Amino acid sequence: MNRLSLRALQYFLEAARNKSVTAAARQLHISPASVSVAISDLEAELDIQLFVRQPARGMKLTPAGEVIVAEARSLLARADEFQLRAGALGHSLEGELSVACFTNLGPVYFSNLLAQFCRLHPSVSVKIYVCDQQEILSGLVGGQYELAVTFDLDIPKHFEWLTLAVIPPQVVLPANHELANARKVSLKRLASEPLILMDLPHTRDYFMSLFHGLHISPNLRFSSTNFEMVRTLVGNGLGYSILNLVPHSPATYDGTRIRHLPIVENLRPLEVGCLSVGRVAQRRVAKAFIEYTLKYFTEADTTQVKRSLAPQKSGRKTRI
């Protein structure tokens, strides 16, 4: 076997991430023909098919291709580490990093976290992708994202997880609700009132499980995939909701006001954490992002996070 080209592996990974030769070429600032040739040479060299070409639908990795994505990323990470250690020790951190963020975390924590990281490492180019949990899991496996900041919702065992914070669910009420000034609220007390559900893949199952665990059948009135839409519906008096994230402002987009209140019953909280594919060597820039993210949540001035910070889960520790 001839020596594999690291450049060809880079072109292959970019095509896998974009699911398109044309889009990969655009990102790499080269011709589509160069990407196609690199992938064809790689398939010939390895004697396997890496992609299934789908007319009008882009490219899809074969099962063998998914394995090669993980191996190629690991190999390029080791090459990147070698280059940094050999020629750039002591220099500023540089490179590109693709990070996915759970949609609700974006405006509450991730934007500020990213701003501070970019000020600390101005030579790092971070590509962000705001997704739901299903998109995050499939994107990590497919090589579209290197890391994700998300919740611990139905994470398969072959992923690696680092806990950043533990955030309990809270009831969200209109500011003029009769219980808005209570210290705590029971879900059983609210069971007959209209529920506004945060309705994203995996998220909806989590919130409904809170009711089922208490043998409550909620009065589901509205649902939305948009975090701020849920808060605005509550603010307009159309019902109550349950959310784990508490923005700094009690005002919604349309100016109505809401209250987030602790729940009387002992319910499962959500963990916020860094997620990556297991058994893949992490590049120096990815390690730096994970380290800073942990520092950010440890030092966060959000009382909710400080009070709830917890160690990482046993058996799913991320290499840092």
Side-chain angles (χ1 to χ4, degrees):
M1 177 185 290
N2 296 328
R3 292 172 183 253
L4 293 175
S5 164
L6 294 180
R7 181 171 297 174
L9 291 176
Q10 181 187 7
Y11 292 0
F12 159 65
L13 287 180
E14 196 66 30
R17 187 172 70 83
N18 287 278
K19 300 180 182 178
S20 164
V21 165
T22 302
R26 189 180 304 116
Q27 291 292 326
L28 294 165
H29 305 291
I30 59 175
S31 69
S34 298
V35 178
S36 294
V37 169
I39 293 173
S40 296
D41 289 348
L42 196 57
E43 289 180 322
E45 199 68 45
L46 298 175
D47 194 26
I48 56 175
Q49 184 177 355
L50 298 172
F51 291 103
V52 174
R53 278 73 172 178
Q54 305 174 108
R57 294 176 57 192
M59 307 166 66
K60 180 180 180 182
L61 286 166
T62 63
E66 292 183 355
V67 173
I68 297 301
V69 161
E71 295 296 334
R73 286 178 60 183
S74 180
L75 179 59
L76 289 176
R78 289 195 291 270
D80 180 67
E81 193 72 22
F82 169 79
Q83 183 178 14
L84 287 167
R85 288 180 179 275
L89 290 176
H91 293 180
S92 62
L93 193 67
E94 298 180 353
E96 286 191 356
L97 182 65
S98 297
V99 181
C101 173
F102 188 87
T103 178
N104 294 353
L105 287 168
V108 180
Y109 294 126
F110 190 77
S111 298
N112 182 251
L113 184 161
L114 182 62
Q116 295 190 37
F117 178 81
C118 290
R119 282 194 288 268
L120 185 64
H121 300 292
S123 296
V124 175
S125 175
V126 182
K127 295 182 179 180
I128 60 173
Y129 302 85
V130 180
C131 316
D132 63 41
Q133 190 76 343
Q134 189 56 49
E135 292 168 335
I136 286 174
L137 297 177
S138 60
L140 285 169
V141 171
Q144 292 172 273
Y145 325 128
E146 192 165 349
L147 299 171
V149 178
T150 186
F151 290 114
D152 63 329
L153 294 167
D154 302 320
I155 297 174
K157 292 182 179 179
H158 61 276
F159 285 86
E160 292 190 350
W161 174 264
L162 175 69
T163 300
L164 302 170
V166 180
I167 304 180
Q170 295 196 22
V171 164
V172 187
L173 296 174
N176 60 357
H177 192 280
E178 62 178 342
L179 297 176
N181 294 318
R183 293 182 59 189
K184 292 184 177 182
V185 178
S186 169
L187 278 193
K188 295 179 179 179
R189 166 68 176 76
L190 296 171
S192 62
E193 297 193 21
L195 170 67
I196 301 167
L197 179 67
M198 185 75 239
D199 192 15
L200 288 167
H202 301 278
T203 305
R204 69 175 72 92
D205 296 331
Y206 163 72
F207 286 121
M208 294 305 292
S209 74
L210 302 181
F211 291 98
H212 297 159
L214 297 174
H215 305 290
I216 297 174
S217 296
N219 176 19
L220 181 59
R221 175 86 175 275
F222 298 104
S223 63
S224 175
T225 59
N226 184 279
F227 178 72
E228 192 58 33
M229 184 64 180
V230 169
R231 298 177 76 240
T232 304
L233 289 170
V234 172
N236 281 274
L238 294 173
Y240 74 97
S241 188
I242 302 176
L243 297 171
N244 295 69
L245 295 174
V246 182
H248 292 288
S249 173
T252 66
Y253 277 5
D254 68 355
T256 54
R257 302 182 75 82
I258 56 177
R259 291 289 307 276
H260 290 252
L261 299 172
I263 298 174
V264 171
E265 291 84 4
N266 184 23
L267 302 175
R268 177 202 159 193
L270 284 180
E271 293 185 10
V272 178
C274 274
L275 186 65
S276 60
V277 177
R279 302 183 300 279
V280 175
Q282 289 172 344
R283 298 182 300 129
R284 181 169 172 249
V285 67
K287 292 179 181 179
F289 185 84
I290 293 173
E291 289 171 354
Y292 185 79
T293 301
L294 180 60
K295 178 176 182 291
Y296 175 87
F297 275 93
T298 302
E299 298 177 354
D301 60 2
T302 305
T303 304
Q304 180 184 358
V305 173
K306 278 188 174 182
R307 183 171 62 245
S308 304
L309 192 62
Q312 55 204 24
K313 289 184 177 180
S314 174
R316 290 200 294 172
K317 296 180 179 179
T318 300
R319 296 186 298 273
I320 298 180

